[in-house]
Amino acid sequence: MFKALIMRTALIISVSATLLLSLSACEGNGDKNMKSIPVEVFYRERMALPPSATLTVSLEDVSKQDVAATVIEEQQITLDKAPPYQIKLSYTTSEINSKHRYALRARINNDGKLMFTNTEHIDPFAKAEGETVQVLVRRVPSLPASEKINQSEVKAVLIEGHWELSSLGGLKNPKGASGEALSLKLSEGQANGYGGCNRFMGGYSLEGSKITLGPLASTKMLCQGDGQKNEDLYLPALSQVSSYQAAAESLVFFDKSGNALMSFTRVNKP
């Protein structure tokens, strides 16, 4: 009986040791599979933020076109000091597909209103592991209070006059190969304009503050320099437009996530 007790005790110890080793291995693998991305967000405008402003930084899978990005990790902090702001995003390696495309998105909001966002694609994995990724956010264009119009006037404003592109991402007043401003003209159900090298045309639809542009077709001329570069940014961005804000002389387009894509100024041009 004593011998049986010893054997049973030995068996319990052996099983316990095996479980402990298994747990340790699992924990070790878990730690190994967890990674983090240190992010530093800043802006260049010399201005103080309201005490209620918040910063949200997201790690997103942006592989699929024309659909909202898949958020893998997101962190939010209240901004009680001047920039830069530090946030660390954690993820597991199993969540990342080497064939997919990923991006960091940073947004500063106050009382539900978007104030700043990044306008350029930021690859979260471009730097070495553990190295801080810097994200520049730019102020979202806002419409002057003096220009506000009634909703009933919006459609008339959109299809009246000629819109010239005043900002696209970090570009200010981008020009085409001929020095002509990039443009957009909306008429009843039709959109056309100048992309930087080529003329484009297509359809659009309106529903409240929502707008869909395209599909768009363009001529096939090739040009060099900034004209081609600007067109390669402008035309794809038009296909991402989801909503807008319009005023008497200003127009801002936003994507599905509410981030400002581009802004226009209305000019008196047929």
Side-chain angles (χ1 to χ4, degrees):
M1 182 175 176
F2 182 70
K3 183 177 180 181
L5 180 59
I6 292 177
M7 291 179 64
R8 189 160 53 246
T9 303
L11 178 61
I12 293 172
I13 293 173
S14 176
V15 170
S16 300
T18 302
L19 288 173
L20 286 172
L21 287 173
S22 298
L23 288 172
S24 297
C26 289
E27 291 175 359
N29 288 336
D31 291 340
K32 185 178 180 180
N33 292 333
M34 285 294 299
K35 296 185 181 296
S36 62
I37 304 171
V39 181
E40 182 178 89
V41 179
F42 66 101
Y43 57 84
R44 293 188 175 134
E45 287 81 354
R46 294 185 177 180
M47 60 177 290
L49 297 175
S52 57
T54 60
L55 168 66
T56 305
V57 181
S58 308
L59 170 60
E60 301 179 351
D61 185 333
V62 294
S63 304
K64 296 180 180 179
Q65 298 294 323
D66 302 323
V67 297
T70 301
V71 177
I72 295 173
E73 168 68 354
E74 186 171 86
Q75 294 289 334
Q76 184 179 95
I77 59 173
T78 299
L79 303 180
D80 55 359
K81 61 179 182 178
Y85 309 111
Q86 278 78 34
I87 278 185
K88 185 173 288 187
L89 299 177
S90 299
Y91 66 95
T92 60
T93 54
S94 61
E95 294 178 287
I96 305 302
N97 187 325
S98 60
K99 297 180 180 180
H100 286 197
R101 186 168 180 259
Y102 298 90
L104 291 177
R105 187 183 297 277
R107 306 175 299 281
I108 296 177
N109 290 274
N110 182 55
D111 292 334
K113 181 180 179 181
L114 181 66
M115 297 182 65
F116 289 83
T117 188
N118 57 301
T119 56
E120 299 175 353
H121 174 260
I122 305 294
D123 184 349
F125 306 116
K127 292 184 176 290
E129 184 179 343
E131 189 174 350
T132 299
V133 180
Q134 292 187 318
V135 180
L136 170 64
V137 292
R138 301 180 187 276
R139 194 171 185 182
V140 174
S142 58
L143 301 178
S146 60
E147 292 188 12
K148 287 184 179 179
I149 56 178
N150 297 325
Q151 186 63 32
S152 61
E153 300 177 281
V154 168
K155 187 174 180 180
V157 169
L158 282 174
I159 64 176
E160 182 181 316
H162 183 96
W163 297 100
E164 289 189 351
L165 190 66
S166 53
S167 70
L168 174 63
L171 300 175
K172 298 295 183 182
N173 301 310
K175 304 295 183 183
S178 62
E180 181 181 351
L182 279 61
S183 64
L184 176 68
K185 178 74 168 67
L186 301 174
S187 57
E188 288 290 347
Q190 296 294 315
N192 63 79
Y194 175 58
C197 288
N198 294 277
R199 301 287 167 180
F200 64 87
M201 67 292 296
Y204 76 93
S205 62
L206 287 176
E207 184 178 347
S209 62
K210 302 294 183 183
I211 183 170
T212 301
L213 293 164
L216 300 175
S218 68
T219 55
K220 301 298 181 182
M221 294 178 58
L222 294 177
C223 58
Q224 303 295 323
D226 289 342
Q228 186 67 57
K229 292 179 182 178
N230 292 339
E231 181 168 285
D232 290 343
L233 294 172
Y234 180 39
L235 296 187
L238 286 173
S239 68
Q240 299 175 30
V241 171
S242 179
S243 61
Y244 69 93
Q245 288 182 354
E249 305 295 333
S250 305
L251 173 65
V252 183
F253 281 156
F254 301 87
D255 65 14
K256 290 182 178 180
S257 299
N259 300 300
L261 288 171
M262 63 191 80
S263 61
F264 297 83
T265 300
R266 191 167 67 87
V267 295
N268 295 319
K269 182 177 179 180

